Amino acid sequence: MYGEATGKYPHVFSPLRVKNIIYKNRLCSTTMSTVPTHTHLSSTNYGGIGIYDKALGGVAMIGMMYHGKAGASHYEANGADPFASKYDLDVLRESLSVVKQGGALAAMAVGMGQVYEGVQYSPSGLPFGRPYARPTAPVTEEILYKLLDQAVEKARSAARFGFDALILDISNDSIVDAFMAPGFNLRTDNWGGSYENRFRLAQMIVSRVREAIGPDFVLELRVSATLGVPETYPFEEMLQFLKSVEDQIDIVNLVTGMDEYHDGNVKLCPPIFEPHLLNLERARAIRESCDVLVNISGAIMDVQEAERVLREGAADLVLLGRSLVADPFWPKKVLEGREDDIVPCIRCNNCYHIATEHFNTCCTVNPRVYRENRVPLTLPRAQTARSVVVVGGGPAGLKAALTAAQRGHQVTLVEQSGALGGLMIPASVGAFKEDLRRYLSYLRRQVEKSQIHVMLHTRADRALLEHLHPDAVILAVGGRAVMPPVPGLGTSGAVQAVALLNAGLESAGTRVTILGGGSIGCELALELAALDRMVTVVELRDKLAANGNELYRQDLMLHLEQETRITILTQTVCTGVTAQGCTVREKDGGTRVIPHDTFVIAAGLRADVDAVEALYGVVPETYYVGDCKRAASITEATTEAYFLGASL
């Protein structure tokens, strides 16, 4: 079993010695922290998202950040020292024990704080963060050295405490990175201007931390290749810096982008519009230019991609983030020959509070994330197996059916079409949807491996439900496409977005007008533009993709603005449609006709309460879930469906 996996992925599962520690494989869990001011009622906080499960899942190394026992004042980036208080030490010791419980190595991430005695500092006193800027004060040399001393002492303590390695984090939004970047560092003293001045602080902190932890302790330096924003330094300068410190560090921990600058955050946690293996070529350049090991992150989503990175020699280690949130056990599943059971990440970024703005922070495909005290690792079997009928094979229906089956119930899944997936089938069409296609394939495989009885090409009605005689019924019949009340729309030959996706995007004409600038309409515009169509998006509201999360919208807008074949009209009303064009009234009150060859309706879905009512109440225990209850996201549909299935 293990021999097959190591033969298939020899580079991933080969050990690596770095000084006095040995990585059992080349997979590392990146530092994905939880913030102490954020309350997750059902979560156990060990300083990182899903750390308890990741520690058992088979990675070789886990990067750990520490946020203290409570409150923003105990946030390490705000200058807190987790080694200063005996009560903090108790928290840190148990967190370290959890990280090491499955045999993984543990690396402590330490950075240089930006806050001293309640004041946030920056190189030049510029506002910090984007779009939610907050004021900063220009840092003096005196304060700068105090912040530096704090970071060095934290590094010294971490090396003594029992960690296997230290991650010195000077990436992203750190004050060290801000000094490097000419757009953030406007100083004219010996800390600004030239490369030597801007990178002076970075040189100092590496040198002093190495001296503090000693020559034999593993030092991993986390850097941003670039910040992904206009203010950044060029990658060539970062490469020059890494070459200058190669004799003091052991590993380069490579990311790109920023955190609280959302236009840079889409490079740090790349949404679906960004490619996989985002940092591949930059990692290759570092490894070829510098005598250091490279640990690469950036949308490496599965074992095949990890193997490729290592086989090509672009890096020595692979940093896993969201893929381990989706399935913390996927390294172990690969070793056990259970690749079909790996839950793929769909890169929705809903696990990230910055993306969701706390509106719905969770994992779309892993209900246990942030709910470890409520969702068990393994669902217990029901005391009495019952007959459950699920109507509808979309994302909600599939999740409800699979969860009920895991409980040991006898599940029948009724789907009127010839394939499982529902709206995930058209939603997974296109270049940006590789991750969703993988998730759809995963769900279908799980149904095939289960004992669920699937009835395709079957339209459910009351007679069928009565014939099946279930103990419980779950209705997941989906929503109805919205047809806006636009004169001429019904006779113009307009096509619904779902119908176009099912028919194939190549069937669209040269000029396409899309009515609706939600996620579906905007994604469709990008896909059609890539096929050399000229696209106009007509949106009534003032914001595109209002149903998407913050980082999704940020990256979507970056790509829409770069596409010359797309015209966006917001706050614009479509007042009439013919086969040749549509009339619109724009926000300035003017009207005009937009010619088209294809007119697409992408006005969203509404809950199909009529379809639910027609099937409701055949048995007392009847539920409904998904778009038929409330037209929403796949995240909400699958989460609610899981808990419904688990409760039966």
Side-chain angles (χ1 to χ4, degrees), residues 246-280:
E246 63 182 357
D247 60 335
Q248 300 178 73
I249 63 175
D250 303 296
I251 303 169
V252 172
N253 180 312
L254 184 66
V255 301
T256 291
M258 303 186 76
D259 186 11
E260 294 194 52
Y261 292 76
H262 293 185
D263 48 337
N265 208 323
V266 297
K267 305 300 182 183
L268 179 63
C269 296
I272 61 172
F273 307 108
E274 303 297 327
H276 287 204
L277 306 176
L278 188 68
N279 294 315
L280 181 64

Side-chain angles (χ1 to χ4, degrees), residues 127-200:
F128 177 81
R130 194 163 49 228
Y132 309 114
R134 55 185 183 268
T136 70
V139 65
T140 64
E141 275 201 354
E142 180 185 6
I143 297 298
L144 191 64
Y145 280 112
K146 290 180 182 296
L147 293 170
L148 178 59
D149 289 344
Q150 287 179 343
V152 171
E153 285 307 307
K154 284 186 285 188
R156 193 193 316 274
S157 297
R160 296 200 316 261
F161 195 74
F163 289 93
D164 301 293
L166 181 78
I167 300 172
L168 176 58
D169 188 355
I170 61 171
S171 67
N172 305 146
D173 302 44
S174 75
I175 194 169
V176 183
D177 243 348
F179 266 92
M180 297 179 196
F184 293 130
N185 183 351
L186 309 180
R187 299 172 76 109
T188 57
D189 59 6
N190 62 348
W191 296 98
S194 67
Y195 159 82
E196 290 77 14
N197 286 350
R198 287 184 286 108
F199 279 74
R200 186 186 309 277

Side-chain angles (χ1 to χ4, degrees), residues 59-97:
V59 294
M61 170 72 83
I62 293 177
M64 175 182 168
M65 293 182 73
Y66 181 72
H67 288 149
K69 59 186 184 298
S73 63
H74 291 269
Y75 182 30
E76 194 264 340
N78 286 351
D81 184 354
F83 304 97
S85 161
K86 59 185 179 182
Y87 305 110
D88 281 325
L89 290 177
D90 289 337
V91 175
L92 184 60
R93 177 59 65 187
E94 180 59 14
S95 298
L96 178 58
S97 177

Side-chain angles (χ1 to χ4, degrees), residues 410-431:
Q410 299 167 352
V411 180
T412 299
L413 179 58
V414 182
E415 168 56 42
Q416 66 177 355
S417 75
L420 296 178
L423 286 180
M424 270 196 298
I425 299 174
S428 63
V429 171

Side-chain angles (χ1 to χ4, degrees), residues 388-568:
V388 179
V389 172
V390 178
V391 180
L398 290 172
K399 191 66 175 179
L402 286 166
T403 308
Q406 289 171 14
R407 291 272 285 143
H409 296 304
Q410 299 167 352
V411 180
T412 299
L413 179 58
V414 182
E415 168 56 42
Q416 66 177 355
S417 75
L420 296 178
L423 286 180
M424 270 196 298
I425 299 174
S428 63
V429 171
F432 304 125
K433 298 306 183 70
E434 175 185 356
D435 304 289
L436 189 59
R437 286 194 292 272
R438 291 169 60 229
Y439 182 57
L440 175 56
S441 296
Y442 160 79
L443 290 174
R444 287 172 170 172
R445 288 194 306 269
Q446 296 306 300
V447 171
E448 289 172 2
K449 293 170 65 172
S450 74
Q451 299 299 311
I452 297 171
H453 175 54
V454 179
M455 301 173 65
L456 297 176
H457 301 290
T458 304
R459 186 173 183 83
D461 55 21
R462 297 184 76 86
L464 176 64
L465 295 182
E466 289 168 356
H467 172 73
L468 294 172
H469 196 63
D471 298 305
V473 172
I474 298 176
L475 303 175
V477 294
R480 289 187 299 178
V482 172
M483 179 67 79
V486 178
L489 192 58
T491 58
S492 64
V495 60
Q496 287 282 354
V498 168
L500 178 62
L501 288 163
N502 285 330
L505 298 178
E506 296 80 3
S507 64
T510 303
R511 300 168 302 175
V512 181
T513 297
I514 299 174
L515 181 60
S519 297
I520 294 175
C522 290
E523 290 174 7
L524 195 55
L526 286 171
E527 297 285 1
L528 289 169
L531 295 174
D532 207 27
R533 273 49 170 188
M534 301 301 295
V535 184
T536 301
V537 177
V538 178
E539 169 56 42
L540 181 63
R541 292 171 291 187
D542 62 353
K543 182 163 69 173
L544 296 177
N547 54 328
N549 66 45
E550 170 67 20
L551 294 187
Y552 171 93
R553 289 196 305 270
Q554 180 77 52
D555 207 35
L556 172 67
M557 292 307 300
L558 288 174
H559 283 261
L560 287 173
E561 290 165 0
Q562 293 168 3
E563 181 51 74
T564 59
R565 288 163 290 197
I566 297 176
T567 300
I568 302 293

Side-chain angles (χ1 to χ4, degrees), residues 327-372:
D327 192 337
F329 297 92
W330 79 249
K332 186 170 287 187
K333 288 179 179 178
V334 173
L335 280 176
E336 295 172 351
R338 297 194 295 124
E339 284 186 62
D340 280 353
D341 295 332
I342 295 172
V343 187
C345 170
I346 65 172
R347 291 206 291 167
C348 65
N349 276 345
N350 278 351
C351 59
Y352 193 8
H353 64 89
I354 282 179
T356 65
E357 299 172 293
H358 297 263
F359 193 76
N360 188 13
T361 307
C362 64
C363 177
T364 295
V365 300
N366 181 0
R368 192 167 145 81
V369 173
Y370 296 120
R371 301 187 184 99
E372 296 90 346

